[in-house]
Amino acid sequence: MNLRRVVVTGLGALTPLGNTFPEYEKNLLGGVSGAAPITRFNAEKFKTRFACEVKNYDPGDYFDRKEARKMDPCTQYALVACDEAIADADLDLENLNLDRIGVIWGSGIGGLRTFQDEVVNFSEGDGTPRFNPFFIPKMIADITAGHISIKYGFRGPNFVTVSACASATNALIDAFTYIRTGRCDMMVSGGSEAAVTEAGIGGFNAMKALSERNDSPETASRPFDKDRNGFVLGEGAGTIILEEYEHAKARGAKIYAELLGGGMSADAHHITAPHPDGAGASLVMQSALQDAGLQTEAVDYINVHGTSTPLGDISETLAIQKVFGEHAYKLSISSTKSMTGHLLGAAGAVEAIASLVAIKNQTVPPTINHFTDDERFDPNLNFTFNKAQQRKIDVALSNTFGFGGHNASIIFGKPKE
């Protein structure tokens, strides 16, 4: 099959580092932490009392009150990021074939706030089943793609991928496939999550997955640091407009980068723990390279999954060294979760955008909050600690790994004629 080229023509971001793509880009390169005490609810009795929340967000700035009440924050965040990306791509919807534009979204959980609130309201009542008629449509993860298509009239393929923290990357790979095989001209893709709730924090606390560094939230996410003790929960959304190259060229679109390939694999090991040798992580990166038709030496930067957990950071680093060999020491590596926290199902989208920021600016975003070296990591690897680094970046790879052993990686390249 003659596969078509796929490029990025629009970006939108609503993140703990900023409520627009330019704000996110600026703070990402500036090494800003998005972590702070939780404001969504009273977290006084929780083991972890901080998170990377979206800040200064008021639904009334984007939706009328009646409309907002029909959507969980997970969907609201997605629509805000989509509005920005569609405007950024300069899409003239009246003159595009909407039958050939689809929406493939990613979310690991979906409407957790809605689910929690409805169950709490029922349990605190007299047993009479009084539920919001929008309970189910607000809660189900797939509804976000539906809302996006309804708002803009996109009639192409429409669904949501659910693979925990790999969800948005899986969505991007699926969207990429629909375009490269000629079934669509354009796809709206990305991911959103809004899990900073009592159930979200409490559930991850029970798993001992979250950092409990309540005395210093802004330094709690410490990928590759000896004293890392868990991830910081984040929220938000990222949207990427993917478009067939000739279609984009014909309408004079600006092009951020080309999506070169993607890979998927499973650890087949444990429901939450990564494979200790990074077997699944190795396989997914090899798969992405093969799909892109690239040798390991072509990759300049890896935006790692890098959650700041004791086991995960080690297994991913071992996988990188196994796949890239000597070239691993010429790569730049960084974990932007040190700034954004872990956006779960949306992580793949906001980190894909971080990879695009790196290519656009020829600058590697930093891994902030490095204080103490861990002897288990090779000191000759470049983790881009604490400060962004300028370098030539033609190709960037982004990794995402999810509970259940789901792995997904995508590769972007500097745009070429």
Side-chain angles (χ1 to χ4, degrees):
M1 179 180 290
N2 185 22
L3 298 177
R4 305 193 305 170
R5 294 171 64 186
V6 180
V7 294
V8 175
T9 57
L11 297 172
L14 178 65
T15 77
L17 299 187
N19 295 2
T20 65
F21 167 65
E23 290 174 359
Y24 173 55
E25 178 180 40
K26 177 184 176 182
N27 289 324
L28 191 73
L29 295 176
V32 175
S33 172
I38 290 170
T39 64
R40 296 275 182 271
F41 60 92
N42 183 356
E44 182 181 350
K45 295 183 179 180
F46 286 76
K47 293 179 181 177
T48 296
R49 298 187 289 278
F50 60 93
C52 286
E53 297 176 325
V54 170
K55 298 164 186 66
N56 303 313
Y57 174 76
D58 181 351
D61 292 338
Y62 306 97
F63 311 98
D64 65 45
R65 186 179 178 188
K66 185 177 180 181
E67 185 182 20
R69 291 179 64 187
K70 297 177 182 178
M71 294 183 290
D72 186 86
C74 181
T75 297
Q76 293 179 20
Y77 294 166
L79 286 171
V80 172
C82 284
D83 277 349
E84 183 183 21
I86 288 168
D88 184 47
D90 195 23
L91 299 188
D92 180 3
L93 299 182
E94 292 185 1
N95 291 298
L96 291 172
N97 184 351
L98 302 185
D99 293 350
R100 292 184 57 82
I101 303 177
V103 182
I104 302 180
W105 202 252
S107 185
I109 300 175
L112 184 60
R113 166 58 65 187
T114 295
F115 186 84
Q116 175 189 295
D117 288 350
E118 290 295 323
V119 171
V120 168
N121 289 340
F122 174 72
S123 68
E124 291 179 348
D126 60 5
T128 303
R130 297 186 181 92
F131 289 89
N132 188 316
F134 292 103
F135 171 28
I136 300 302
K138 286 174 67 175
M139 177 269 295
I140 51 179
D142 70 285
I143 204 68
T144 298
H147 273 289
I148 297 167
S149 68
I150 291 166
K151 180 170 183 177
Y152 298 104
F154 300 140
R155 293 184 291 269
N158 187 278
F159 59 89
V160 166
T161 58
V162 179
S163 49
C165 308
S167 297
T169 306
N170 278 138
L172 288 164
I173 292 171
D174 281 355
F176 171 58
T177 301
Y178 273 93
I179 298 172
R180 77 196 303 211
T181 54
R183 288 186 275 180
C184 289
D185 297 326
M186 190 183 301
M187 298 294 292
V188 177
S189 191
S192 57
E193 207 77 90
V196 182
T197 69
E198 294 89 337
I201 294 291
F204 283 116
N205 267 158
M207 292 177 61
K208 300 187 183 302
L210 297 181
S211 171
E212 299 176 13
R213 195 169 271 113
N214 294 297
D215 59 337
S216 183
E218 68 280 359
T219 68
S221 183
R222 303 183 180 189
F224 311 111
D225 189 90
K226 185 174 183 177
D227 297 321
R228 67 192 181 282
N229 63 357
F231 69 82
V232 178
L233 190 59
E235 63 174 3
T239 302
I240 296 177
I241 306 298
L242 296 177
E243 189 169 353
E244 192 272 324
Y245 173 70
E246 294 296 341
H247 188 273
K249 192 175 176 182
R251 69 179 189 87
K254 72 173 177 293
I255 295 175
Y256 285 101
E258 184 169 353
L259 208 174
L260 301 173
M264 294 176 279
S265 76
D267 277 1
H269 171 68
H270 188 272
I271 58 171
T272 56
H275 192 287
D277 298 328
S282 298
L283 181 60
V284 76
M285 286 187 281
Q286 290 168 343
S287 177
L289 287 165
Q290 183 178 7
D291 188 49
L294 295 175
Q295 299 298 313
T296 54
E297 292 77 15
V299 178
D300 302 302
Y301 168 53
I302 300 179
N303 186 296
V304 293
H305 188 58
T307 56
S308 183
T309 56
L311 298 178
D313 291 1
I314 291 174
S315 66
E316 185 172 11
T317 305
L318 290 174
I320 290 170
Q321 291 178 288
K322 178 181 177 181
V323 172
F324 290 91
E326 285 301 311
H327 185 62
Y329 302 101
K330 299 177 183 179
L331 289 166
S332 290
I333 297 166
S334 74
S335 171
T336 49
K337 286 186 179 71
S338 60
M339 296 176 277
T340 65
H342 193 349
L343 273 72
L344 307 180
V350 296
E351 289 163 21
I353 295 174
S355 301
L356 294 165
V357 166
I359 292 172
K360 175 175 177 280
N361 294 276
Q362 295 291 285
T363 303
V364 180
T367 303
I368 67 168
N369 299 329
H370 182 73
F371 303 100
T372 308
D373 289 341
D374 187 332
E375 62 278 2
R376 289 172 292 182
F377 297 110
D378 191 326
N380 295 310
L381 293 172
N382 180 8
F383 292 104
T384 323
F385 286 133
N386 297 325
K387 187 176 180 180
Q389 296 175 4
Q390 289 188 321
R391 66 160 291 167
K392 180 175 179 286
I393 305 173
D394 288 335
V395 176
L397 183 151
S398 182
N399 284 334
T400 47
F401 312 139
F403 285 169
H406 313 298
N407 307 309
S409 298
I410 49 176
I411 300 177
F412 294 99
K414 195 174 179 180
K416 299 177 181 178
E417 288 296 327

